[in-house]
C-alpha cells in the first residue's frame, strides 16, 4: 500500500468513541468512586490532550506579549496568536481574518455588538429575538433597549420546540434594527433554520446576529454562504479552554461600528486632544488578549478538523437517536424539544422527580448532567416548567454511558416517583 493510500485509508477508517476517548485524559477520572460519564457537554466540553499540549508549548516556548514586541519570543507568540485567528477564519469560512475578533466567549461577543449598535438605534427601533434564546442573547438587547428606547419583538416557539417560522416571517419587517437568533437551542438541542432566517433578513434588508455557542463545535459552518452579519461562539463548548471565544462580523460592520472597550492595542495614536483607532479586528481587542486561550482554541479546531467535523457529528447523532429511544421507554418521562433537526442535547422531565434531585442521584452514579433553567427562563415559562434535566453528548460519549444514564434514572424513580 502506498503512503498516500495508507493515509487515505486511515482518514476514512470509521471513528469510534472508544478510540477518541483516549485523547481526553479527564474522561478516565472517577466520580464518587464510579467511572465518570460526562453528559454535560452543552455546558462545557472536556479538552483533548492536544489542546493541553498547545497550552504548555505556548507557556514554555513563546509566552510574551503580542504585537508590540521587539524580541523573538514576542514574535513567536504573535505568529501563533495570529495563526489561531486564521484557524478561526477557516473554521467559519470567513472572507478575511480581519473579520474575527477574539473575545472571552459568546456572551462577550453578543455584548460587544449590542454595545456598539447604540448609535443605530432609537425609540423607533425594534430587535427580533426568538422565545428559545439563552439569557446571553436576551439581556444585552434589553440593556440596549434601556439605553436607546428600542423595543424587543419575540418570535414564538411551537410545542415541538421548533421556532414558529411562519410567525417569525411575519415579524421580519423592513426597518427592523436587528435579528438575533440562536443557531442551536442550548435548552432543547433544536437546530434553527438559520439559512432561511438569513434569507428572509437579506430580503428585508435587516442585519442578523447568530448565537453559535451550541453550534460551532458540532455543525459545519460557512458564514459567507449563510450570509449572516455576526456570528458569536465560545471556545469552551468546542474543546478549548474557558475565557476565549470569538465574534465574526462582516468587514463593513467592523469598519463602521465604534470601538467596544478602550485601551492599548485598539489605538493608532493617542493624544490628550483625541485618539485614532486601530484597524479591525484590533480596534475591538483592547488590552492584552487571552493569547494562550486563542492558541488553544486554534489547537481545538485543528483537532476537530483532523478527525472531520461531519464524522464526529455522525457519532453524536447516533448517541442522540439511541438515547432518545431509551429515554422514551422510561415511564413518566417527557422530552422537551422533539422537533428535528436536533443536536445531541436531550432535555426532559419525569413525573414526580425534581430535575435537581435527579441530577444529584445521577451524580452519585458518576453520571454528570445539567438540571435547571439552562439560562433560558423565558423558554421554561413557555413550557410551564421551572426547569428540566438535560443530557448533552459529545462524540466521546458511548452507548454504555447512555445505558448508565437510563439506569440512574431508574434508581431515582425508585427513590422519588
Ligand atoms: N448562547 C448559548 C446558546 C449558550 O448555550 C451559551 C452557554 N450556555 C451562551 C450563549 C453563553 O456562552 P458563554 O457562557 O460561553 O459566553
Amino acid at each position: 500500500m502506498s503512503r498516500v493510500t495508507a493515509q487515505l485509508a486511515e482518514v476514512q477508517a470509521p471513528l469510534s468513541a472508544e478510540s477518541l476517548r483516549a485523547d481526553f485524559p479527564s474522561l478516565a477520572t472517577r466520580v464518587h468512586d464510579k467511572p465518570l460519564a460526562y453528559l454535560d457537554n452543552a455546558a462545557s466540553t472536556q479538552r483533548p490532550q492536544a489542546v493541553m499540549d498547545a497550552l504548555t508549548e505556548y507557556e514554555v516556548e513563546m509566552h510574551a506579549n503580542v504585537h508590540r514586541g521587539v524580541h523573538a519570543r514576542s514574535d513567536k507568540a504573535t505568529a501563533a496568536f495570529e495563526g489561531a485567528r486564521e484557524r478561526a477564519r477557516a473554521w467559519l469560512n470567513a472572507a478575511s481574518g480581519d473579520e474575527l475578533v477574539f473575545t472571552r466567549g459568546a456572551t462577550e461577543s453578543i455584548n460587544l455588538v449590542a454595545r456598539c449598535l447604540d448609535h443605530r438605534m432609537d425609540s423607533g427601533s425594534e430587535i427580533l429575538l426568538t422565545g428559545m434564546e439563552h439569557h446571553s442573547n436576551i439581556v444585552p438587547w434589553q440593556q440596549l433597549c434601556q439605553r436607546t428606547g428600542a423595543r424587543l419583538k419575540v418570535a414564538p416557539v411551537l410545542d415541538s420546540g421548533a421556532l414558529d417560522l411562519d410567525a417569525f416571517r411575519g415579524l421580519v419587517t423592513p426597518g427592523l434594527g436587528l435579528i438575533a437568533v440562536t443557531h442551536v437551542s442550548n435548552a432543547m438541542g433544536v437546530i434553527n433554520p438559520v439559512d432561511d432566517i438569513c434569507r428572509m433578513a437579506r430580503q428585508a434588508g435587516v442585519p442578523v446576529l447568530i448565537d453559535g455557542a451550541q453550534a460551532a463545535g458540532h455543525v459545519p459552518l460557512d458564514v459567507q454562504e449563510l450570509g449572516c452579519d455576526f456570528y458569536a461562539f465560545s471556545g469552551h463548548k468546542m474543546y478549548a479552554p474557558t475565557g476565549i471565544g470569538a465574534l465574526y462580523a462582516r468587514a463593513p460592520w467592523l469598519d463602521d461600528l465604534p470601538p467596544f472597550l478602550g485601551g492599548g492595542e485598539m489605538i493608532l495614536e493617542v493624544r490628550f486632544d483625541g485618539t485614532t483607532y486601530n484597524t479591525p479586528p484590533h480596534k475591538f481587542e483592547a488590552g492584552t488578549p487571552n493569547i494562550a486561550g486563542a492558541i488553544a482554541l486554534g489547537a481545538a479546531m485543528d483537532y476537530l478538523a483532523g478527525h472531520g467535523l461531519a464524522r464526529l457529528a455522525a457519532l453524536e447523532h447516533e448517541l442522540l437517536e439511541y438515547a432518545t429511544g431509551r429515554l422514551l421507554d422510561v415511564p413518566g418521562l417527557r422530552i422537551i424539544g422533539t422537533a428535528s433537526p436536533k443536536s445531541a442535547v436531550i432535555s426532559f422531565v419525569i413525573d414526580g422527580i425534581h430535575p435537581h434531585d435527579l441530577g444529584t442521584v445521577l451524580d452519585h452514579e458518576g453520571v454528570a448532567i445539567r438540571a435547571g433553567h439552562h439560562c433560558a427562563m423565558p423558554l421554561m415559562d413557555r413550557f410551564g416548567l421551572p426547569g428540566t434535566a438535560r443530557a448533552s453528548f459529545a462524540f466521546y460519549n458511548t452507548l454504555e454511558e447512555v445505558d448508565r444514564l437510563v439506569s440512574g434514572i431508574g434508581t431515582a424513580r425508585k427513590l422519588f416517583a
Side-chain angles (χ1 to χ4, degrees):
M1 198 188 285
S2 77
R3 205 170 133 259
V4 171
T5 318
Q7 279 174 350
L8 271 178
E10 198 180 320
V11 166
Q12 282 158 14
L15 286 176
S16 74
E18 284 73 17
S19 62
L20 292 162
R21 288 174 77 80
D23 298 335
F24 291 79
S26 60
L27 296 178
T29 57
R30 295 174 75 82
V31 172
H32 301 303
D33 213 21
K34 308 261 169 53
L36 168 67
Y38 186 77
L39 306 183
D40 194 17
N41 294 285
S44 202
T45 49
Q46 300 296 315
R47 282 38 132 175
Q49 187 63 49
V51 165
M52 295 185 258
D53 289 347
L55 280 171
T56 306
E57 188 194 357
Y58 163 73
E59 297 294 351
V60 176
E61 300 294 336
M62 65 192 93
H63 168 66
N65 214 330
V66 287
H67 296 142
R68 295 177 287 267
V70 289
H71 56 82
R73 273 182 86 88
S74 173
D75 285 348
K76 228 169 156 179
T78 303
F81 181 69
E82 291 303 328
R85 197 189 305 278
E86 167 53 24
R87 283 169 175 77
R89 183 210 65 73
W91 192 253
L92 300 178
N93 193 31
S96 159
D98 294 346
E99 296 178 316
L100 263 300
V101 177
F102 282 122
T103 63
R104 284 194 297 130
T107 302
E108 187 176 289
S109 298
I110 297 168
N111 274 275
L112 187 161
V113 179
R115 281 274 162 186
C116 298
L117 280 178
D118 276 9
H119 68 295
R120 296 173 67 99
M121 302 285 170
D122 58 31
S123 58
S125 308
E126 289 181 320
I127 294 167
L128 176 58
L129 309 178
T130 79
M132 69 176 86
E133 298 308 318
H134 186 281
H135 298 164
S136 299
N137 200 26
I138 300 174
V139 183
W141 307 115
Q142 289 175 327
Q143 292 174 312
L144 170 74
C145 290
Q146 280 160 10
R147 292 192 302 271
T148 63
R151 287 185 311 121
L152 295 184
K153 295 201 287 189
V154 183
V157 172
L158 299 170
D159 289 345
S160 65
L163 176 64
D164 183 340
L165 205 56
D166 289 334
F168 187 91
R169 191 174 288 111
L171 293 168
V172 180
T173 45
L176 197 60
L178 181 81
I179 295 171
V181 296
T182 193
H183 193 160
V184 176
S185 157
N186 68 304
M188 302 183 293
V190 170
I191 302 177
N192 277 323
V194 284
D195 293 43
D196 293 338
I197 289 171
C198 288
R199 204 171 307 116
M200 281 181 222
R202 264 198 310 281
Q203 280 161 8
V206 178
V208 185
L209 175 143
I210 297 177
D211 171 359
Q214 293 295 335
H218 305 280
V219 179
L221 296 171
D222 185 333
V223 287
Q224 294 188 73
E225 198 178 290
L226 203 52
C228 61
D229 295 86
F230 304 101
Y231 197 96
F233 66 97
S234 296
H236 71 99
K237 292 182 195 282
M238 51 183 301
Y239 315 96
T242 51
I244 186 70
L247 171 71
Y248 157 79
R250 273 200 307 114
W253 282 106
L254 293 183
D255 290 335
D256 179 55
L257 294 179
F260 175 39
L261 301 174
E265 191 72 22
M266 51 77 75
I267 54 88
L268 286 180
E269 198 171 77
V270 178
R271 296 181 190 284
F272 280 115
D273 58 359
T275 289
T276 50
Y277 301 128
N278 206 340
T279 49
H282 311 293
K283 174 180 162 188
F284 297 93
E285 292 180 350
T288 302
N290 182 353
I291 308 166
I295 291 169
L297 174 62
M301 288 170 169
D302 284 350
Y303 177 87
L304 295 174
H307 289 296
L309 192 64
R311 296 164 84 215
L312 297 171
L315 288 178
E316 292 175 356
H317 191 72
E318 192 190 338
L319 287 159
L320 173 69
E321 301 233 298
Y322 180 70
T324 303
R326 292 245 30 214
L327 289 172
L328 286 175
D329 283 342
V330 175
L333 186 148
R334 182 160 60 98
I335 292 179
I336 309 301
T338 51
S340 86
K342 268 184 73 168
S343 73
V345 173
I346 308 181
S347 239
F348 56 94
V349 287
I350 305 176
D351 290 344
I353 311 182
H354 193 282
H356 280 122
D357 291 335
L358 176 63
T360 305
V361 171
L362 287 171
D363 180 48
H364 281 272
E365 299 295 323
V367 179
I369 62 151
R370 185 83 151 189
H373 54 62
H374 315 296
C375 298
M377 281 182 162
L379 183 73
M380 296 296 123
D381 286 348
R382 154 71 180 82
F383 285 102
L385 297 167
T388 69
R390 183 188 71 186
S392 52
F393 304 94
F395 51 76
Y396 46 55
N397 290 127
T398 63
L399 301 185
E400 190 246 327
E401 287 177 321
V402 175
D403 293 341
R404 286 180 57 202
L405 167 70
V406 175
S407 146
I409 292 172
T411 306
R413 287 189 68 246
K414 280 188 210 129
L415 285 171
F416 297 106

